[in-house]
Amino acid sequence: MSFTADRLLLFGATGDLSQRMLLPSLAALHADELIHEDLQIVGTARSDLDDTGFRNFAREALEKFMPAERRSGMAQFLNRLHYQPLDATTLEGYTELAKKVGGTGNGLAIFLSTAPSLFEPTIAGLQHAGLAGNDVRIGLEKPLGTSLETSCEINDAVAAAFSEDRTFRIDHYLGKETVQNLMALRFANILFEPIWNSNYIEHVQITVAETVGLEGRVAFYDDAGALRDMVQNHMLQLLALVAMEPPTDFDATAIRDEKVKVLRALRKVDTSETVTGQYRAGAVDGQSVPGYDEELGKDSDTETFVAIKAHVDNWRWKGVPFYLRTGKRLPERVTEIVVQFRCIPHSIFGSKGATTQPNRLVIGIQPEENISLSLMAKVPGLGRDGIRLRQVPLNIAMPDAFSGKTRRIAYERLLLDLIEGDQTLFVRRDEVEAQWEWVDAIRATWEANELKPKTYGAGTWGPSAAIALAERDGVSWHDE
Ligand code: BG6
């Protein structure tokens, strides 16, 4: 049902995500007059606050997490905020909550940023209080389960109250500007699509490297690990956008139909095609940092690094490996996609002593948003003793190409889409389930083979086995 919500209800309103991302994003949308002046925002959580207490909490969050120059109109923004304390596990409080929200108005958008164990009771409470009708849509923050089975349970519980077209599953990577730019690059240019296949592409690398460690999320992370925390969602979404067929239209159904085909075409991975690691004490950005086990305070077999050689079994990608890797406490924070093209079929320069290297496209997603295509070029000179060729980059730095345009964080876009009801950048149930199916199979092979993560020093690119995983195919990771 299409409506622009004039009420937004935030569960987990005093949590970390709310402080760092949700409240600053909403304040930025307010400052830029992108949300309707009537939109009222009600926060709820267990903390015993009133409206004033929540506004103070929000003010502090904005001062901490929002650049001063974007904080205009903060007082009016704070006036939009209201708060109702709630124990989400019992039905009683929901009637009061519904009163505070003032019914569903012209449409209500709900955002659940709580532990997944609260999803089911919350949905029951919302139904009980009449906050789950056709004029209500719901946004769900990850993690949506820990396996296909638990994810299905959550999805079933949500589906009992909210139809799929009113269910907005968040993968914040889809809200990142450069991730969407991937679609522009592929489908708004004639250049790439004809060569975007196994005839011309030798392999693809997707790296999501982080310098941070546990960041206080001890219990959550130790139960999840890198495969479930990063690969199951963000990395598979990136892979799907790189590998999907051209959708017929830029709309939610067309795009998600194509992504899910890719996710279903992922080949089962063999244990020998994966490497897991766990960081030990080391140095990141010149600072000494403790090992994972020390941060955790006990021994653990949870992986903080994973590298996988994946395959998409379809005509387009036959024989093209997708090397994925992600980890905590790596030397730098970088998310990038590398498309390595094949060698030219015949070099006319061989007789002149010149060698050629295959082209490579690097799509930087963060922290640098740039696109760089390596091309062979002639080194200037008269060439009396032969021709010299060298690889030179054709570089586009997005912030320079679009200077003067506000760079928005993912949650600004995603919250606005939730309020306005655009599902294009949200993950459909069949996608999530295909993602889990693939990831569960990997975990099953690890368990069957009693695979334990190898150690790596914080500040390095993971265990040496990850380098070997690519090198045995003659491939180097992009940073090496
Ligand atoms: C989250 C993971 O989904 O993404 C975190 O749970 C991770 O462990 C984060 O740090 C990375 O997001 P970003 O936007 O900083 O790359």
PDB file of all heavy atoms in Angstrom, residues 142 172-173 176 210 217 229-230 234 328 333 366, ligand 1:
ATOM      1  N   LYS A 142      19.098  -5.881  11.028  1.00  0.00           N
ATOM      2  CA  LYS A 142      19.752  -7.170  11.219  1.00  0.00           C
ATOM      3  C   LYS A 142      20.240  -7.306  12.660  1.00  0.00           C
ATOM      4  O   LYS A 142      20.368  -6.295  13.326  1.00  0.00           O
ATOM      5  CB  LYS A 142      20.896  -7.341  10.225  1.00  0.00           C
ATOM      6  CG  LYS A 142      22.121  -6.467  10.528  1.00  0.00           C
ATOM      7  CD  LYS A 142      23.226  -6.730   9.568  1.00  0.00           C
ATOM      8  CE  LYS A 142      24.185  -7.793  10.051  1.00  0.00           C
ATOM      9  NZ  LYS A 142      25.313  -7.285  10.863  1.00  0.00           N
ATOM     10  N   HIS A 172      22.194  -2.184   5.518  1.00  0.00           N
ATOM     11  CA  HIS A 172      22.559  -0.770   5.344  1.00  0.00           C
ATOM     12  C   HIS A 172      23.550  -0.550   4.199  1.00  0.00           C
ATOM     13  O   HIS A 172      23.684   0.550   3.697  1.00  0.00           O
ATOM     14  CB  HIS A 172      23.040  -0.145   6.665  1.00  0.00           C
ATOM     15  CG  HIS A 172      24.438  -0.497   7.064  1.00  0.00           C
ATOM     16  ND1 HIS A 172      24.770  -1.663   7.679  1.00  0.00           N
ATOM     17  CD2 HIS A 172      25.598   0.174   6.926  1.00  0.00           C
ATOM     18  CE1 HIS A 172      26.070  -1.693   7.906  1.00  0.00           C
ATOM     19  NE2 HIS A 172      26.603  -0.595   7.458  1.00  0.00           N
ATOM     20  N   TYR A 173      24.203  -1.634   3.740  1.00  0.00           N
ATOM     21  CA  TYR A 173      25.106  -1.454   2.596  1.00  0.00           C
ATOM     22  C   TYR A 173      24.346  -0.987   1.350  1.00  0.00           C
ATOM     23  O   TYR A 173      24.877  -0.286   0.518  1.00  0.00           O
ATOM     24  CB  TYR A 173      25.893  -2.742   2.321  1.00  0.00           C
ATOM     25  CG  TYR A 173      27.221  -2.732   3.046  1.00  0.00           C
ATOM     26  CD1 TYR A 173      27.242  -2.491   4.422  1.00  0.00           C
ATOM     27  CD2 TYR A 173      28.428  -2.907   2.385  1.00  0.00           C
ATOM     28  CE1 TYR A 173      28.439  -2.432   5.107  1.00  0.00           C
ATOM     29  CE2 TYR A 173      29.626  -2.842   3.069  1.00  0.00           C
ATOM     30  CZ  TYR A 173      29.626  -2.610   4.436  1.00  0.00           C
ATOM     31  OH  TYR A 173      30.814  -2.533   5.108  1.00  0.00           O
ATOM     32  N   LYS A 176      24.249   2.704   0.851  1.00  0.00           N
ATOM     33  CA  LYS A 176      25.485   3.459   0.584  1.00  0.00           C
ATOM     34  C   LYS A 176      25.482   3.937  -0.865  1.00  0.00           C
ATOM     35  O   LYS A 176      25.151   3.190  -1.771  1.00  0.00           O
ATOM     36  CB  LYS A 176      26.714   2.582   0.851  1.00  0.00           C
ATOM     37  CG  LYS A 176      26.901   2.264   2.336  1.00  0.00           C
ATOM     38  CD  LYS A 176      28.183   1.484   2.565  1.00  0.00           C
ATOM     39  CE  LYS A 176      28.227   0.915   3.970  1.00  0.00           C
ATOM     40  NZ  LYS A 176      28.873   1.750   4.963  1.00  0.00           N
ATOM     41  N   GLU A 210      37.893  -4.144   8.007  1.00  0.00           N
ATOM     42  CA  GLU A 210      37.648  -3.189   9.093  1.00  0.00           C
ATOM     43  C   GLU A 210      38.858  -3.156  10.014  1.00  0.00           C
ATOM     44  O   GLU A 210      39.544  -4.170  10.177  1.00  0.00           O
ATOM     45  CB  GLU A 210      36.439  -3.634   9.910  1.00  0.00           C
ATOM     46  CG  GLU A 210      35.151  -3.659   9.126  1.00  0.00           C
ATOM     47  CD  GLU A 210      33.982  -3.926  10.052  1.00  0.00           C
ATOM     48  OE1 GLU A 210      33.706  -5.105  10.324  1.00  0.00           O
ATOM     49  OE2 GLU A 210      33.382  -2.965  10.526  1.00  0.00           O
ATOM     50  N   ARG A 217      30.658  -5.255  21.476  1.00  0.00           N
ATOM     51  CA  ARG A 217      29.514  -6.123  21.118  1.00  0.00           C
ATOM     52  C   ARG A 217      29.863  -7.578  21.384  1.00  0.00           C
ATOM     53  O   ARG A 217      29.573  -8.459  20.567  1.00  0.00           O
ATOM     54  CB  ARG A 217      29.181  -5.940  19.641  1.00  0.00           C
ATOM     55  CG  ARG A 217      28.784  -4.541  19.285  1.00  0.00           C
ATOM     56  CD  ARG A 217      29.088  -4.280  17.839  1.00  0.00           C
ATOM     57  NE  ARG A 217      28.083  -4.805  16.938  1.00  0.00           N
ATOM     58  CZ  ARG A 217      28.354  -5.330  15.758  1.00  0.00           C
ATOM     59  NH1 ARG A 217      29.595  -5.445  15.361  1.00  0.00           N
ATOM     60  NH2 ARG A 217      27.389  -5.736  14.971  1.00  0.00           N
ATOM     61  N   ASP A 229      27.969 -12.283  10.313  1.00  0.00           N
ATOM     62  CA  ASP A 229      27.842 -10.847  10.559  1.00  0.00           C
ATOM     63  C   ASP A 229      27.999 -10.034   9.267  1.00  0.00           C
ATOM     64  O   ASP A 229      27.340  -9.015   9.098  1.00  0.00           O
ATOM     65  CB  ASP A 229      28.915 -10.419  11.577  1.00  0.00           C
ATOM     66  CG  ASP A 229      28.787  -8.965  11.989  1.00  0.00           C
ATOM     67  OD1 ASP A 229      27.639  -8.494  12.147  1.00  0.00           O
ATOM     68  OD2 ASP A 229      29.818  -8.287  12.147  1.00  0.00           O
ATOM     69  N   MET A 230      28.859 -10.474   8.383  1.00  0.00           N
ATOM     70  CA  MET A 230      29.188  -9.643   7.206  1.00  0.00           C
ATOM     71  C   MET A 230      28.914 -10.317   5.863  1.00  0.00           C
ATOM     72  O   MET A 230      28.481  -9.672   4.916  1.00  0.00           O
ATOM     73  CB  MET A 230      30.682  -9.255   7.242  1.00  0.00           C
ATOM     74  CG  MET A 230      31.081  -8.420   8.415  1.00  0.00           C
ATOM     75  SD  MET A 230      30.278  -6.794   8.459  1.00  0.00           S
ATOM     76  CE  MET A 230      31.186  -5.924   7.208  1.00  0.00           C
ATOM     77  N   HIS A 234      25.841  -8.200   3.870  1.00  0.00           N
ATOM     78  CA  HIS A 234      26.461  -7.136   3.070  1.00  0.00           C
ATOM     79  C   HIS A 234      27.245  -7.673   1.865  1.00  0.00           C
ATOM     80  O   HIS A 234      27.110  -7.199   0.747  1.00  0.00           O
ATOM     81  CB  HIS A 234      27.417  -6.301   3.930  1.00  0.00           C
ATOM     82  CG  HIS A 234      26.818  -5.847   5.222  1.00  0.00           C
ATOM     83  ND1 HIS A 234      25.509  -5.448   5.321  1.00  0.00           N
ATOM     84  CD2 HIS A 234      27.329  -5.728   6.479  1.00  0.00           C
ATOM     85  CE1 HIS A 234      25.258  -5.098   6.587  1.00  0.00           C
ATOM     86  NE2 HIS A 234      26.341  -5.266   7.301  1.00  0.00           N
ATOM     87  N   LYS A 328      37.911  -8.277  10.908  1.00  0.00           N
ATOM     88  CA  LYS A 328      38.118  -7.213  11.891  1.00  0.00           C
ATOM     89  C   LYS A 328      39.622  -7.102  12.142  1.00  0.00           C
ATOM     90  O   LYS A 328      40.354  -8.071  11.978  1.00  0.00           O
ATOM     91  CB  LYS A 328      37.428  -7.557  13.207  1.00  0.00           C
ATOM     92  CG  LYS A 328      35.936  -7.816  13.071  1.00  0.00           C
ATOM     93  CD  LYS A 328      35.127  -6.606  13.438  1.00  0.00           C
ATOM     94  CE  LYS A 328      33.639  -6.864  13.397  1.00  0.00           C
ATOM     95  NZ  LYS A 328      32.870  -5.701  12.949  1.00  0.00           N
ATOM     96  N   ARG A 333      40.633   0.342   6.844  1.00  0.00           N
ATOM     97  CA  ARG A 333      39.201   0.199   6.609  1.00  0.00           C
ATOM     98  C   ARG A 333      38.969   0.421   5.122  1.00  0.00           C
ATOM     99  O   ARG A 333      39.196   1.526   4.609  1.00  0.00           O
ATOM    100  CB  ARG A 333      38.439   1.235   7.430  1.00  0.00           C
ATOM    101  CG  ARG A 333      36.959   1.237   7.141  1.00  0.00           C
ATOM    102  CD  ARG A 333      36.195   2.142   8.089  1.00  0.00           C
ATOM    103  NE  ARG A 333      34.770   2.032   7.852  1.00  0.00           N
ATOM    104  CZ  ARG A 333      34.043   2.981   7.280  1.00  0.00           C
ATOM    105  NH1 ARG A 333      34.581   4.125   6.909  1.00  0.00           N
ATOM    106  NH2 ARG A 333      32.752   2.792   7.083  1.00  0.00           N
ATOM    107  N   GLN A 366      34.143   2.430   0.311  1.00  0.00           N
ATOM    108  CA  GLN A 366      34.495   3.252   1.459  1.00  0.00           C
ATOM    109  C   GLN A 366      35.909   2.918   1.901  1.00  0.00           C
ATOM    110  O   GLN A 366      36.369   1.823   1.624  1.00  0.00           O
ATOM    111  CB  GLN A 366      33.501   3.073   2.607  1.00  0.00           C
ATOM    112  CG  GLN A 366      33.421   1.645   3.100  1.00  0.00           C
ATOM    113  CD  GLN A 366      32.309   1.427   4.112  1.00  0.00           C
ATOM    114  OE1 GLN A 366      31.358   2.175   4.198  1.00  0.00           O
ATOM    115  NE2 GLN A 366      32.426   0.375   4.888  1.00  0.00           N
TER     116      GLN A 366
HETATM  117  C1  BG6 B   1      27.443  -4.307  10.606  1.00  0.00           C
HETATM  118  C2  BG6 B   1      28.212  -5.361  11.346  1.00  0.00           C
HETATM  119  O1  BG6 B   1      26.359  -4.870   9.934  1.00  0.00           O
HETATM  120  O2  BG6 B   1      28.293  -3.659   9.672  1.00  0.00           O
HETATM  121  C3  BG6 B   1      29.436  -4.772  12.026  1.00  0.00           C
HETATM  122  O3  BG6 B   1      27.380  -5.963  12.318  1.00  0.00           O
HETATM  123  C4  BG6 B   1      30.269  -3.995  11.039  1.00  0.00           C
HETATM  124  O4  BG6 B   1      30.225  -5.782  12.649  1.00  0.00           O
HETATM  125  C5  BG6 B   1      29.407  -3.015  10.260  1.00  0.00           C
HETATM  126  O5  BG6 B   1      31.274  -3.304  11.766  1.00  0.00           O
HETATM  127  C6  BG6 B   1      30.202  -2.378   9.146  1.00  0.00           C
HETATM  128  O6  BG6 B   1      29.444  -1.344   8.583  1.00  0.00           O
HETATM  129  P1  BG6 B   1      30.170  -0.137   7.840  1.00  0.00           P
HETATM  130  O7  BG6 B   1      29.050   0.675   7.285  1.00  0.00           O
HETATM  131  O8  BG6 B   1      30.973   0.586   8.892  1.00  0.00           O
HETATM  132  O9  BG6 B   1      31.044  -0.751   6.809  1.00  0.00           O
END
